[in-house]
Amino acid sequence: RFVNIMKRIFLRKDVSHKPFLFLLFLFLCYTSHGQLFPKKNYPKGYFIYPVEAKIALAANFGELRPNHYHMGLDCRTNQVQNRPVKAAADGYVAHVHIEPLGFGRAIYINHPNGLTTLYGHLNNFYPALEKYVKEQQYKLQSWQVFLDIPPGMFPVKQGQLIALSGNAGGSQGPHCHFEIRDTKTDKVLNPLLFGMPVPDNVPPAILRLAMYDRCISTYSQSPKLFSLKKVNGNYIPAQPLIAVNTDKVSFGISANDKVTGSSNLNGIYEADLYLDEKPVVGFQIDSITYDETRYVNAHIDYKTREAGGPFIEHLSRLPGYPEGIYKDFSGDGVIELTDDAVHEIKIVVKDTYGNTSTLEFKIKKGTIHEKDSDYADSYQNRQEFHPGFVNIFESKNVQLILKPEALYDSFAFVHSSKNVISSKSYSEVHSLESGLVPVHDNFILRLKANKKIPAELQDKMIIKRSWSNKTEVAKASGDGEWYTAQFRSFGNFELTADDDPPTITGSFRDNANLSKASHIIFIPKDNNEEIKNFRAELDGKWLMFTNDKGSVFIYKFDEMCPRGKHELKISVQDEAGNTTEKIYHFTR
């Protein structure tokens, strides 16, 4: 409104000092509809693109992933492995991380400007570093390591070869994952804000609008979805005036972004919500630690996504989400309709280059319907859980304890149970809420045995969680009656005994001649699909097997296995502590 007043003043013929008013008008327009978040002053041109390949992205910073944001750039490597990966700036190798999933094989380089770069999913490191890492793995007797490397031991120059690209870890195709972090805080920053040579003049696409009744939990409803169309460059719903049948409402959007010359769908960088030209709330995806990345489950409509629907990003901050990526300008995004007037909503979506798309529509309070009596009765008969509080559920056979930071929104907790006919089952199957409701931190679960547990099984007890064709198990500690474990997701839980040892399948038979073989493979399996420990000893000494992607253990013949006859002992342990050991003899 104030901007419209200034327009009228500026257009009056008798007003002096028009240049001043014109500048004031521009300032007001900029602050009303322009940059709401502080400008990032990251150094441009300090870092070079890290891969010797055609510049192209498979994913950008902030893309929505299961239980996390994508925290870097996935740099394509011409669809092949072993492309040169280069140090993005001068510095020194500070850490090396090797793990079955996640980054696979990764290098961290600290730089003099207080920033760290990370390079993931790598194959071999450069020779001096590869040799040092292998020595440390044998010293620690562990293939999986996180090594802190003394400063100055491995200095690097910008553009120096540090590794070859690969497909290790959680990667689903050849590429190099690249991150920029604040060294002191470990905040991961958006690399596209550092002037990376990735051209982009394509604005984001807004696919759909979602509307929520915020008088009830976001987990107790399915949002009302509106398809969108583009008119005169802006997005609008098919019905530009939306009747809101509640006096508290919030919105969400499905949106994506592309870079120039690519059809790959990436995540958006920023979205801001305006009510009657006034900014209410916005989010900007930058500066996130890995401790915070699970808050993506509060940023999205988790229930809709887990039920097989699209990603919807909330334009409101759920009560259990600290400010994080959000900024509250005049509220947390829940709009209270206290009158019958028509109100204007504007949603502005941006990428890191400032390319912008806008969604505009109007809302008006419609008829507010009373909740039906069946819904009200069922809701009132349930225990309500709230974020910011310790939430406890207890019955005669189950106890559940959640920490204050475990939940994002309030909801009415649901518990049911059913009997199981199985010799290895020692409790009912307890349905605790639903896997459609996210949990941020581990919770404590205690189950009571419904029959006597033999003494020989009391240290073989596990609690099994199942939901939507997925299962996981956790070792349970107990006293023969009550057993305790920790989980991070709701679902169906059962106390069971596991005294079945894992099995081991090898790529050769005992007394085999492996003179012409380049490697050997072992595949351990368990009835609960959880292998906790794998150990190999060659002639009584620890031997390193790789375990990329977590299912197959591979040893490539090297100087640790000279020519001649050898004895190889393989030992595998599952989550319950059952152990299988096999001894093989071979000649090389």
Side-chain angles (χ1 to χ4, degrees):
R1 291 178 182 175
F2 190 60
V3 170
N4 290 332
I5 292 170
M6 292 306 299
K7 286 180 181 177
R8 291 196 294 273
I9 291 174
F10 178 71
L11 292 172
R12 286 175 53 187
K13 293 181 179 179
D14 57 338
V15 173
S16 59
H17 306 297
K18 282 186 179 179
F20 167 77
L21 290 171
F22 179 68
L23 291 173
L24 178 60
F25 168 65
L26 287 179
F27 172 76
L28 290 168
C29 286
Y30 180 78
T31 54
S32 296
H33 307 295
Q35 184 169 303
L36 296 176
F37 288 83
K39 185 178 180 181
K40 303 294 189 297
N41 293 315
Y42 299 151
K44 303 290 194 299
Y46 187 90
F47 298 110
I48 64 170
Y49 192 73
V51 182
E52 198 171 290
K54 180 182 176 181
I55 294 175
L57 299 183
N60 69 349
F61 184 95
E63 276 191 21
L64 308 173
R65 301 285 176 85
N67 297 315
H68 71 285
Y69 293 102
H70 185 249
M71 302 281 272
L73 303 181
D74 279 354
C75 303
R76 293 187 183 274
T77 57
N78 300 345
Q79 299 182 323
V80 298
Q81 298 189 42
N82 296 318
R83 297 299 302 168
V85 177
K86 304 174 292 185
D90 292 356
Y92 63 88
V93 177
H95 312 285
V96 166
H97 193 182
I98 297 176
E99 57 184 335
L101 298 172
F103 298 136
R105 289 167 60 89
I107 293 175
Y108 300 65
I109 296 177
N110 285 359
H111 304 283
N113 65 348
L115 298 175
T116 296
T117 51
L118 179 147
Y119 314 74
H121 308 309
L122 304 173
N123 283 342
N124 286 357
F125 308 138
Y126 71 100
L129 181 61
E130 186 74 32
K131 180 175 180 293
Y132 173 82
V133 170
K134 186 174 182 179
E135 290 170 351
Q136 297 304 306
Q137 289 172 310
Y138 270 90
K139 180 179 177 181
L140 297 168
Q141 295 192 4
S142 177
W143 169 77
Q144 182 172 342
V145 291
F146 186 90
L147 301 176
D148 295 319
I149 297 178
M153 179 175 285
F154 293 103
V156 295
K157 290 291 185 182
Q158 186 178 67
Q160 177 182 327
L161 176 73
I162 58 171
L164 298 177
S165 68
N167 187 34
S171 171
Q172 297 179 1
H175 72 280
C176 175
H177 178 86
F178 177 67
E179 292 183 6
I180 300 176
R181 302 184 179 190
D182 182 297
T183 305
K184 287 185 178 179
T185 65
D186 214 30
K187 289 273 188 182
V188 189
L189 310 175
N190 193 327
L192 290 180
L193 298 171
F194 287 79
M196 286 284 117
V198 180
D200 183 6
N201 57 15
V202 182
I206 309 176
L207 308 179
R208 63 181 60 84
L209 172 71
M211 184 171 71
Y212 298 83
D213 178 356
R214 294 305 291 274
C215 291
I216 60 175
S217 169
T218 55
Y219 306 129
S220 300
Q221 61 184 297
S222 295
K224 189 172 183 180
L225 300 178
F226 300 87
S227 59
L228 305 176
K229 59 183 178 179
K230 207 169 185 179
V231 177
N232 297 326
N234 286 344
Y235 292 88
I236 61 171
Q239 52 185 100
L241 176 61
I242 297 174
V244 179
N245 302 121
T246 177
D247 51 12
K248 289 184 180 179
V249 65
S250 69
F251 297 97
I253 56 169
S254 294
N256 59 51
D257 189 36
K258 298 178 183 177
V259 298
T260 301
S262 173
S263 60
N264 201 67
L265 301 179
N266 299 321
I268 63 172
Y269 171 59
E270 180 181 333
D272 306 310
L273 173 71
Y274 294 81
L275 172 65
D276 297 328
E277 301 291 335
K278 183 180 180 181
V280 178
V281 71
F283 66 78
Q284 192 179 81
I285 303 180
D286 179 48
S287 191
I288 305 169
T289 68
Y290 274 89
D291 290 338
E292 300 166 327
T293 192
R294 192 176 173 88
Y295 279 114
V296 70
N297 292 336
H299 175 203
I300 66 169
D301 181 338
Y302 185 89
K303 177 186 174 185
T304 294
R305 181 61 181 173
E306 281 295 296
F311 275 119
I312 298 171
E313 300 181 65
H314 281 300
L315 281 161
S316 63
R317 186 171 53 81
L318 295 184
Y321 187 5
E323 191 167 80
I325 65 168
Y326 286 88
K327 189 171 181 62
D328 299 343
F329 301 110
S330 56
D332 59 6
V334 177
I335 297 171
E336 295 193 38
L337 297 174
T338 58
D339 56 38
D340 295 323
V342 173
H343 296 278
E344 296 180 356
I345 299 292
K346 178 186 291 186
I347 297 170
V348 180
V349 180
K350 301 178 182 179
D351 64 20
T352 53
Y353 289 70
N355 299 305
T356 300
S357 294
T358 301
L359 165 62
E360 295 181 297
F361 57 96
K362 301 178 188 297
I363 60 173
K364 185 179 188 299
K365 186 160 69 172
T367 303
I368 299 177
H369 302 287
E370 294 290 331
K371 297 287 186 296
D372 63 69
S373 58
D374 290 341
Y375 174 89
D377 290 343
S378 64
Y379 194 91
Q380 289 173 359
N381 291 332
R382 301 175 189 172
Q383 180 178 344
E384 193 163 358
F385 279 12
H386 300 280
F389 295 86
V390 174
N391 292 283
I392 299 175
F393 172 79
E394 292 184 287
S395 73
K396 64 178 182 178
N397 294 322
V398 61
Q399 296 176 351
L400 175 68
I401 304 172
L402 293 97
K403 294 182 284 189
E405 57 272 21
L407 301 177
Y408 305 127
D409 199 2
S410 299
F411 62 92
F413 179 77
V414 179
H415 166 256
S416 63
S417 61
K418 63 180 181 180
N419 290 322
V420 180
I421 302 175
S422 169
S423 61
K424 300 232 171 155
S425 179
Y426 285 85
S427 76
E428 301 93 346
V429 173
H430 293 273
S431 295
L432 299 175
E433 192 37 54
S434 157
L436 301 180
V437 175
V439 182
H440 190 72
D441 281 323
N442 287 339
F443 56 80
I444 297 172
L445 174 64
R446 302 186 72 219
L447 298 183
K448 187 177 182 180
N450 59 4
K451 59 185 178 183
K452 186 176 180 180
I453 300 174
E456 65 272 15
L457 293 180
Q458 290 184 10
D459 65 345
K460 302 291 184 182
M461 303 305 294
I462 58 173
I463 294 179
K464 181 185 294 186
R465 173 190 175 268
S466 60
W467 179 262
S468 185
N469 300 320
K470 296 179 182 178
T471 62
E472 61 177 312
V473 299
K475 174 78 172 178
S477 60
D479 57 8
E481 183 178 20
W482 283 92
Y483 282 82
T484 304
Q486 294 193 32
F487 291 89
R488 209 175 186 180
S489 299
F490 292 131
N492 306 312
F493 299 87
E494 177 188 4
L495 179 66
T496 68
D498 178 12
D499 59 350
D500 294 328
T503 61
I504 302 172
T505 301
S507 61
F508 66 97
R509 295 180 179 179
D510 195 26
N511 295 312
N513 188 331
L514 302 180
S515 298
K516 296 182 179 180
S518 61
H519 62 275
I520 53 180
I521 297 174
F522 287 96
I523 304 176
K525 291 187 177 180
D526 186 64
N527 58 321
N528 286 307
E529 300 181 3
E530 298 281 348
I531 298 297
K532 187 174 182 180
N533 292 312
F534 175 97
R535 183 178 176 86
E537 293 182 1
L538 182 69
D539 303 326
K541 295 182 179 179
W542 183 80
L543 185 68
M544 183 167 66
F545 276 71
T546 63
N547 182 217
D548 186 50
K549 304 192 186 304
S551 58
V552 177
F553 290 81
I554 302 174
Y555 168 68
K556 295 180 181 179
F557 285 114
D558 59 7
E559 72 279 5
M560 298 299 175
C561 182
R563 297 289 177 178
K565 293 185 177 182
H566 298 282
E567 179 182 272
L568 178 64
K569 182 167 71 173
I570 303 295
S571 177
V572 178
Q573 185 182 60
D574 66 13
E575 184 68 20
N578 300 299
T579 301
T580 296
E581 184 177 286
K582 280 192 173 184
I583 296 178
Y584 297 83
H585 300 86
F586 67 89
T587 301
R588 181 166 184 264

